[in-house]
Amino acid sequence: MTGSLVNRVALVTGASSGIGAATAMALAAAGATVVAVARRADRLQGTVDAIEAAGGRAMPSPGDVSEEAIATQVVADAVTRFGRLDILVNSAGLIQAGNVGDADTAQWRRVIEVNLLATLYTCHAALGPMRALGGGNIVNIGSLACRTTSPVYNPYATSKFALNALTDGLRQEAGPHGIRVCMIAPGPTKTEVAEGISDPVHREAIRAYTHQAGALQPDDVAAAIVFIVGSPARVNISELWIRATADVAY
């Protein structure tokens, strides 16, 4: 493969489906070597197979990065295998319905572990290798929910508000080391995110929301990520909101 990201190594979490899988394939198409990370090993292998069938280079690294030891290990394995880490895309995520008064606190905890702490762990592990290179790119997948609260989906909104803060604080910390940090906040995107919701009524509601006419496609977000990480080193596109052109419901 040839493109703007030749000789760069990218690690993408949540790469078994949706935005993560699309991003892994788009980065590979632009020339990057991709380390694809996700819990579902069989689906993850499908992403790697698709990259290789298109002439790209990828390695599967199955694991749940909401566990700090695993997050640390997948980053270390990537650096050991390829000698560097240039790009980190944190796309692993989930949504659950719930409020505070009737909270299933275990579900809240899991949403925060996946949407926030997993990103903290991978970023923490990636900073050292990126500093050693003199630069790098970290892209965290947020949501329009990072600034819009809801009593119905409060666990998700809380995790994305916190991700927004983590990302901008990291941008200020990492910039002097040549590391660019960005949060992308997509609107409704046609992914499988609804399938993990335990409540069937809310599962169907989010499924309808993400699959409404005019909703974004995972490839739309992936294309934006390729643009961000391929921009000149002096440029940090620190925040990007992506909305559908059509008048879709938010």
Side-chain angles (χ1 to χ4, degrees):
M1 304 288 283
T2 59
S4 60
L5 304 180
V6 170
N7 298 324
R8 297 203 205 175
V9 175
L11 188 150
V12 181
T13 72
S16 60
S17 66
I19 292 171
T23 298
M25 289 187 278
L27 291 171
T33 296
V34 175
V35 178
V37 181
R39 292 180 297 110
R40 298 177 293 179
D42 56 338
R43 295 285 299 274
L44 187 64
Q45 187 60 51
T47 300
V48 170
D49 290 345
I51 289 171
E52 292 178 340
R57 188 181 184 196
M59 177 184 85
S61 188
D64 182 352
V65 289
S66 70
E67 296 184 28
E68 185 173 6
I70 292 175
T72 301
Q73 191 62 54
V74 297
V75 172
D77 288 347
V79 174
T80 298
R81 173 75 180 272
F82 300 112
R84 60 190 295 142
L85 180 63
D86 303 271
I87 299 164
L88 169 64
V89 180
N90 286 297
S91 185
L94 61 82
I95 184 170
Q96 289 290 353
N99 54 27
V100 174
D102 299 318
D104 180 335
T105 54
Q107 287 192 349
W108 273 74
R109 188 175 302 108
R110 184 58 180 159
V111 170
I112 291 169
E113 286 172 349
V114 174
N115 293 357
L116 177 65
L117 294 181
T119 296
L120 168 64
Y121 300 151
T122 55
C123 289
H124 173 69
L127 281 178
M130 288 185 178
R131 285 172 179 161
L133 281 178
N137 289 271
I138 297 173
V139 180
N140 297 332
I141 306 300
S143 166
L144 297 184
C146 75
R147 290 181 186 164
T148 304
T149 57
S150 165
V152 179
Y153 296 102
N154 202 353
Y156 183 70
T158 296
S159 70
K160 294 301 185 180
F161 265 68
L163 180 66
N164 187 19
L166 182 154
T167 302
D168 198 56
L170 178 59
R171 175 189 63 80
Q172 296 172 62
E173 172 188 352
H177 301 280
I179 301 167
R180 304 181 295 179
V181 183
C182 177
M183 188 192 73
I184 293 186
T189 307
K190 292 182 180 179
T191 69
E192 300 174 8
V193 68
E195 306 314 311
I197 298 176
S198 58
D199 183 283
V201 173
H202 290 294
R203 186 186 314 131
E204 184 53 41
I206 293 298
R207 188 183 290 141
Y209 172 73
T210 56
H211 286 72
Q212 61 186 295
L216 300 171
Q217 299 285 344
D219 288 345
D220 301 330
V221 182
I225 292 171
V226 172
F227 170 73
I228 288 165
V229 302
S231 62
R234 65 182 178 276
V235 176
N236 184 3
I237 301 170
S238 59
E239 187 173 298
L240 181 63
W241 286 46
I242 307 177
R243 300 178 184 271
T245 302
D247 185 21
V248 301
Y250 287 100

PDB file of all heavy atoms in Angstrom, residues 8 33 69 93 111 120 141 167 187 241 244:
ATOM      1  N   ARG A   8       4.115   4.475   9.121  1.00  0.00           N
ATOM      2  CA  ARG A   8       3.561   4.762  10.441  1.00  0.00           C
ATOM      3  C   ARG A   8       2.847   3.524  10.985  1.00  0.00           C
ATOM      4  O   ARG A   8       2.322   2.708  10.219  1.00  0.00           O
ATOM      5  CB  ARG A   8       2.584   5.937  10.387  1.00  0.00           C
ATOM      6  CG  ARG A   8       3.235   7.236   9.958  1.00  0.00           C
ATOM      7  CD  ARG A   8       2.457   8.429  10.421  1.00  0.00           C
ATOM      8  NE  ARG A   8       2.702   9.578   9.574  1.00  0.00           N
ATOM      9  CZ  ARG A   8       2.070  10.731   9.700  1.00  0.00           C
ATOM     10  NH1 ARG A   8       1.143  10.877  10.637  1.00  0.00           N
ATOM     11  NH2 ARG A   8       2.346  11.735   8.895  1.00  0.00           N
ATOM     12  N   THR A  33       0.700   0.645   9.060  1.00  0.00           N
ATOM     13  CA  THR A  33       0.598  -0.707   9.616  1.00  0.00           C
ATOM     14  C   THR A  33      -0.321  -0.605  10.826  1.00  0.00           C
ATOM     15  O   THR A  33      -0.126   0.248  11.691  1.00  0.00           O
ATOM     16  CB  THR A  33       1.984  -1.209  10.052  1.00  0.00           C
ATOM     17  OG1 THR A  33       2.813  -1.316   8.900  1.00  0.00           O
ATOM     18  CG2 THR A  33       1.877  -2.560  10.742  1.00  0.00           C
ATOM     19  N   ALA A  69      -3.935  -3.839  32.657  1.00  0.00           N
ATOM     20  CA  ALA A  69      -2.796  -4.681  32.280  1.00  0.00           C
ATOM     21  C   ALA A  69      -2.860  -5.063  30.804  1.00  0.00           C
ATOM     22  O   ALA A  69      -1.826  -5.116  30.120  1.00  0.00           O
ATOM     23  CB  ALA A  69      -2.756  -5.938  33.146  1.00  0.00           C
ATOM     24  N   GLY A  93     -16.191   1.366  22.779  1.00  0.00           N
ATOM     25  CA  GLY A  93     -17.204   2.092  23.531  1.00  0.00           C
ATOM     26  C   GLY A  93     -18.496   1.315  23.627  1.00  0.00           C
ATOM     27  O   GLY A  93     -18.738   0.368  22.866  1.00  0.00           O
ATOM     28  N   VAL A 111     -19.783   1.111  31.799  1.00  0.00           N
ATOM     29  CA  VAL A 111     -19.742   2.156  30.772  1.00  0.00           C
ATOM     30  C   VAL A 111     -18.531   3.061  30.984  1.00  0.00           C
ATOM     31  O   VAL A 111     -17.808   3.394  30.038  1.00  0.00           O
ATOM     32  CB  VAL A 111     -21.048   2.975  30.777  1.00  0.00           C
ATOM     33  CG1 VAL A 111     -20.916   4.209  29.886  1.00  0.00           C
ATOM     34  CG2 VAL A 111     -22.219   2.112  30.304  1.00  0.00           C
ATOM     35  N   LEU A 120      -7.925   6.106  29.058  1.00  0.00           N
ATOM     36  CA  LEU A 120      -6.839   6.525  29.953  1.00  0.00           C
ATOM     37  C   LEU A 120      -5.684   5.530  29.917  1.00  0.00           C
ATOM     38  O   LEU A 120      -4.511   5.917  29.805  1.00  0.00           O
ATOM     39  CB  LEU A 120      -7.373   6.653  31.387  1.00  0.00           C
ATOM     40  CG  LEU A 120      -6.316   6.802  32.490  1.00  0.00           C
ATOM     41  CD1 LEU A 120      -5.534   8.103  32.327  1.00  0.00           C
ATOM     42  CD2 LEU A 120      -6.972   6.723  33.868  1.00  0.00           C
ATOM     43  N   ILE A 141     -12.603   8.796  20.313  1.00  0.00           N
ATOM     44  CA  ILE A 141     -13.948   8.900  19.747  1.00  0.00           C
ATOM     45  C   ILE A 141     -14.924   9.263  20.861  1.00  0.00           C
ATOM     46  O   ILE A 141     -15.198   8.475  21.757  1.00  0.00           O
ATOM     47  CB  ILE A 141     -14.387   7.600  19.058  1.00  0.00           C
ATOM     48  CG1 ILE A 141     -13.358   7.174  18.008  1.00  0.00           C
ATOM     49  CG2 ILE A 141     -15.769   7.783  18.423  1.00  0.00           C
ATOM     50  CD1 ILE A 141     -13.135   8.170  16.907  1.00  0.00           C
ATOM     51  N   THR A 167      -9.362  14.311  27.234  1.00  0.00           N
ATOM     52  CA  THR A 167      -8.727  14.553  25.938  1.00  0.00           C
ATOM     53  C   THR A 167      -8.101  15.936  25.866  1.00  0.00           C
ATOM     54  O   THR A 167      -6.963  16.101  25.410  1.00  0.00           O
ATOM     55  CB  THR A 167      -9.753  14.368  24.806  1.00  0.00           C
ATOM     56  OG1 THR A 167     -10.297  13.048  24.871  1.00  0.00           O
ATOM     57  CG2 THR A 167      -9.108  14.572  23.444  1.00  0.00           C
ATOM     58  N   GLY A 187     -22.242  12.462  15.326  1.00  0.00           N
ATOM     59  CA  GLY A 187     -23.671  12.292  15.554  1.00  0.00           C
ATOM     60  C   GLY A 187     -24.054  10.843  15.340  1.00  0.00           C
ATOM     61  O   GLY A 187     -23.189   9.959  15.273  1.00  0.00           O
ATOM     62  N   TRP A 241     -16.457  17.960  15.435  1.00  0.00           N
ATOM     63  CA  TRP A 241     -17.828  17.466  15.522  1.00  0.00           C
ATOM     64  C   TRP A 241     -18.292  17.112  14.118  1.00  0.00           C
ATOM     65  O   TRP A 241     -18.106  17.885  13.177  1.00  0.00           O
ATOM     66  CB  TRP A 241     -18.742  18.541  16.114  1.00  0.00           C
ATOM     67  CG  TRP A 241     -18.539  18.724  17.585  1.00  0.00           C
ATOM     68  CD1 TRP A 241     -17.347  18.827  18.249  1.00  0.00           C
ATOM     69  CD2 TRP A 241     -19.559  18.812  18.576  1.00  0.00           C
ATOM     70  NE1 TRP A 241     -17.559  18.981  19.594  1.00  0.00           N
ATOM     71  CE2 TRP A 241     -18.907  18.980  19.822  1.00  0.00           C
ATOM     72  CE3 TRP A 241     -20.944  18.769  18.538  1.00  0.00           C
ATOM     73  CZ2 TRP A 241     -19.609  19.105  21.018  1.00  0.00           C
ATOM     74  CZ3 TRP A 241     -21.640  18.904  19.729  1.00  0.00           C
ATOM     75  CH2 TRP A 241     -20.986  19.054  20.952  1.00  0.00           C
ATOM     76  N   ALA A 244     -24.651  14.783  10.560  1.00  0.00           N
ATOM     77  CA  ALA A 244     -25.247  14.438   9.271  1.00  0.00           C
ATOM     78  C   ALA A 244     -25.744  15.703   8.583  1.00  0.00           C
ATOM     79  O   ALA A 244     -26.217  16.636   9.241  1.00  0.00           O
ATOM     80  CB  ALA A 244     -26.387  13.446   9.461  1.00  0.00           C
TER      81      ALA A 244
END
